[in-house]
Amino acid sequence: MTSPIESVQPPTHPPMCSTVPVLGELPVLLTQRLDRLERLQQQHGDIFTLNLGFTKVTVLCHPRHAQHVLRDHARIYSKANPLWDAIRGLIGNGLPTSEGDFWLRQRRMMQPHFHRERLTAMVRLMIHAIDEELVSWEQYERSGRPIDLFREMTVITMRVIVRTMFGSQLGQQTADMVGKEMGFALDYMMLGMLTQKLPKWFPVPGRKRFTEAVQRIDRALFDIIDQRKRDPNREGGELLSMMLDAVDTETQQRMTAQELRDEAVALFLAGYETTSSALSFAFDHLRTQPQSMKKLEQEILSVLQGREPEMSDLRRLPYTLAVIQEALRLHGPVFWIPRTAEQDDVIDGYRIPKGQEVAIMVHTIHRHPQQWSRPHTFDPERFSPDLVATRHPLAWIPFGAGQRICIGKEFALMEGQLILARILSRYEVIASGSHPVSAHIGTTLRPKDGVWVTLRKRTPQPSGHATAQVPPA
């Protein structure tokens, strides 16, 4: 309990980590991966400040800090910082980057399209997209050649988001081009953040290529938006058509072509990068946890028994969901959430001055020893309802939290369950090699050198409804 004397003491600044000249902790973090953050947390506690050369960032490592910034005091923490400025260079004023009244308007128009009944209508689109891509896996199974799961997962999730976003209107060649340009742009964003304050004439490697990538993406998307606008017979089953028809309930306005473009790019990035990375890391962890793989396979095979999954099946695949949740805990693509204080604040007795950049460090929150037993061990069982109830509600935040939580959260989790179900219904996935996969730190976290496996075809099961009793989620 705080004494009266202690309560009137002025708050102090968070401890500053020792740094190397000019670039601060940045080169250390990039070479030692995110392990460095955990060591700094052990040394300095749950709040400390990093010198990243171009800026100083106060790092927040406890779930209560995430609640403070993302929920309780969200109104005084903005996205006015170099990372979000770099992201705006690609997605413009889409939901992840917009703020204030405009963000609220866009959220009102977008939210209904991610309700469960709308997602139910997308299940068939997702399954068909997944199955189309899995046809190409047959050649790997027949030859016994290793396959890079991360590459293949990225192709699958890109096909899923193209089908659910644009229907069949976006040709495969154009989709491949958009995916390639998106990949480059995403890789460039971290460099864009680091060089944000440099003058435009300063030669930054990749800057021109980034501008060209955005221009190519724009040409493709504006063309498809124009086609859909002029099509009086559009079915409206995919996201773009639903967004075209959306009307703000307060202003009675529709989205402009630019607004549609920005939201489409934001959803495209969120729809394939998060899921493909998480599933790839999941298979890497399952390589060392044969009992977890066996339980996952048994659940999928007993519930589905060879048939295509339906929306109602997903609640009967709780362990499948838990595998995805655990992969997102250990290797969530969004490993930090930056904000800027718009007024003076105090967190856990430390002064946060106006203008200070803070980072909710998802990576360390997901490994906090007060919240997670054996925090570095892959264990989907920790997402059983009983154990979830024992933790802070913001101990798991791969999609953010508060009113700015990712609008595509349920979409991504549903997509992940369907992909796991379709793959493991057809194949046994066998690790190729014994070395664990390392993480590449960029704008997001992803496998560095691929996740290599071989495939073995399963003996077909008779189609029919499951009779095995699987506890509901």
Side-chain angles (χ1 to χ4, degrees):
M1 183 173 180
T2 304
S3 70
I5 294 177
E6 291 173 327
S7 65
V8 298
Q9 295 298 314
T12 60
H13 292 282
M16 174 70 74
C17 298
S18 59
T19 59
V20 298
V22 184
L23 294 179
E25 284 285 331
L26 187 62
V28 181
L29 286 173
L30 294 179
T31 56
Q32 296 189 25
R33 303 173 299 177
L34 295 174
D35 300 350
R36 173 68 171 169
L37 292 170
E38 296 177 65
R39 291 194 293 274
L40 291 173
Q41 180 190 16
Q42 293 168 2
Q43 181 180 353
H44 298 286
D46 288 333
I47 301 183
F48 52 88
T49 297
L50 285 179
N51 178 5
L52 297 181
F54 63 95
T55 189
K56 292 180 174 62
V57 177
T58 296
V59 177
L60 308 173
C61 299
H62 196 281
R64 66 175 175 271
H65 304 154
Q67 177 163 329
H68 182 102
V69 172
L70 299 178
R71 281 188 179 175
D72 299 345
H73 300 84
R75 62 182 179 78
I76 68 170
Y77 286 92
S78 74
K79 295 188 174 184
N81 55 57
L83 176 63
W84 289 111
D85 288 344
I87 294 174
R88 285 185 185 94
L90 175 61
I91 68 175
N93 214 21
L95 272 181
T97 53
S98 59
E99 300 195 79
D101 291 341
F102 180 78
W103 171 84
L104 186 60
R105 168 187 178 263
Q106 293 298 96
R107 185 82 180 199
R108 281 198 305 264
M109 297 176 75
M110 296 282 289
Q111 188 68 58
H113 307 313
F114 291 89
H115 289 165
R116 189 172 181 84
E117 61 271 18
R118 295 292 181 94
L119 293 178
T120 299
M122 295 181 195
V123 169
R124 193 65 53 199
L125 288 173
M126 287 187 176
I127 291 173
H128 287 172
I130 295 165
D131 288 354
E132 285 173 4
E133 195 55 44
L134 288 182
V135 170
S136 67
W137 287 29
E138 295 177 4
Q139 60 178 313
Y140 296 103
E141 190 276 331
R142 287 194 300 266
S143 67
R145 285 183 294 148
I147 180 174
D148 177 7
L149 268 185
F150 178 58
R151 178 188 175 280
E152 298 299 327
M153 289 293 186
T154 301
V155 173
I156 290 175
T157 53
M158 186 183 75
R159 188 181 285 266
V160 168
I161 194 62
V162 165
R163 184 64 57 84
T164 53
M165 174 70 72
F166 305 109
S168 58
Q169 298 297 311
L170 191 66
Q172 191 57 47
Q173 184 175 359
T174 303
D176 291 342
M177 180 276 294
V178 171
K180 177 183 176 183
E181 301 302 335
M182 289 278 195
F184 176 85
L186 194 64
D187 284 334
Y188 174 82
M189 280 183 196
M190 181 62 78
L191 179 62
M193 177 190 74
L194 300 178
T195 59
Q196 187 73 28
K197 296 181 180 180
L198 293 177
K200 294 300 181 184
W201 54 261
F202 192 89
V204 176
R207 179 186 280 173
K208 181 180 178 183
R209 172 76 176 82
F210 174 78
T211 301
E212 293 171 348
V214 174
Q215 291 172 344
R216 293 189 184 101
I217 292 168
D218 284 355
R219 284 195 293 270
L221 294 188
F222 280 125
D223 183 57
I224 190 68
I225 289 168
D226 183 60
Q227 290 180 37
R228 300 301 275 166
K229 275 187 171 181
R230 291 187 285 104
D231 181 4
N233 300 314
R234 60 176 181 263
E235 296 178 3
E238 77 288 336
L239 283 168
L240 181 59
S241 289
M242 288 190 284
M243 289 192 298
L244 276 165
D245 294 332
V247 178
D248 179 33
T249 55
E250 293 194 8
T251 65
Q252 303 305 308
Q253 294 177 334
R254 297 179 187 268
M255 292 190 213
T256 65
Q258 182 66 49
E259 291 164 358
L260 286 165
R261 175 267 179 213
D262 291 349
E263 302 299 355
V265 172
L267 289 172
F268 194 103
L269 283 178
Y272 91 96
E273 176 71 16
T274 301
T275 308
S276 61
S277 294
L279 292 179
S280 300
F281 280 119
F283 274 108
D284 180 53
H285 288 295
L286 289 166
R287 169 185 61 83
T288 62
Q289 302 283 342
Q291 72 280 6
S292 296
M293 175 64 91
K294 183 176 181 180
K295 183 170 182 177
L296 175 62
E297 292 172 326
Q298 287 178 338
E299 178 180 82
I300 289 170
L301 297 176
S302 64
V303 169
L304 299 178
Q305 294 191 349
R307 63 180 173 81
E308 289 186 0
E310 301 173 355
M311 187 67 163
S312 59
D313 291 316
L314 297 184
R315 63 179 294 274
R316 302 171 65 224
L317 297 171
Y319 194 76
T320 307
L321 175 60
V323 166
I324 300 166
Q325 291 171 312
E326 179 68 338
L328 286 168
R329 181 185 73 86
L330 284 171
H331 290 100
V334 178
F335 58 91
W336 66 320
I337 303 174
R339 291 289 190 270
T340 299
E342 295 299 323
Q343 64 185 56
D344 290 347
D345 194 15
V346 176
I347 300 179
D348 275 6
Y350 289 111
R351 179 171 178 258
I352 309 296
K354 179 180 179 179
Q356 176 63 47
E357 293 180 24
V358 301
I360 296 111
M361 199 55 63
V362 177
H363 178 85
T364 50
I365 289 175
H366 283 182
R367 289 166 169 76
H368 201 292
Q370 293 177 5
Q371 304 292 320
W372 307 94
S373 63
R374 299 175 296 116
H376 295 90
T377 300
F378 182 82
D379 180 13
E381 301 283 356
R382 67 175 84 245
F383 283 92
S384 66
D386 289 345
L387 289 178
V388 169
T390 66
R391 293 190 289 268
H392 191 287
L394 271 66
W396 186 78
I397 51 171
F399 298 95
Q403 65 176 3
R404 300 300 299 254
I405 192 169
C406 177
I407 197 172
K409 173 186 174 182
E410 298 305 322
F411 179 101
L413 293 174
M414 180 176 80
E415 178 188 23
Q417 281 183 284
L418 292 174
I419 291 173
L420 281 180
R422 296 311 281 159
I423 290 175
L424 293 177
S425 290
R426 297 185 183 198
Y427 297 107
E428 294 179 57
V429 179
I430 304 161
S432 178
S434 58
H435 295 292
V437 171
S438 59
H440 167 75
I441 302 173
T443 309
T444 58
L445 202 67
R446 67 188 81 164
K448 185 177 182 180
D449 298 310
V451 179
W452 293 89
V453 302
T454 56
L455 305 171
R456 181 185 300 151
K457 203 173 188 70
R458 291 192 187 278
T459 303
Q461 291 188 318
S463 179
H465 290 281
T467 57
Q469 296 299 310
V470 179

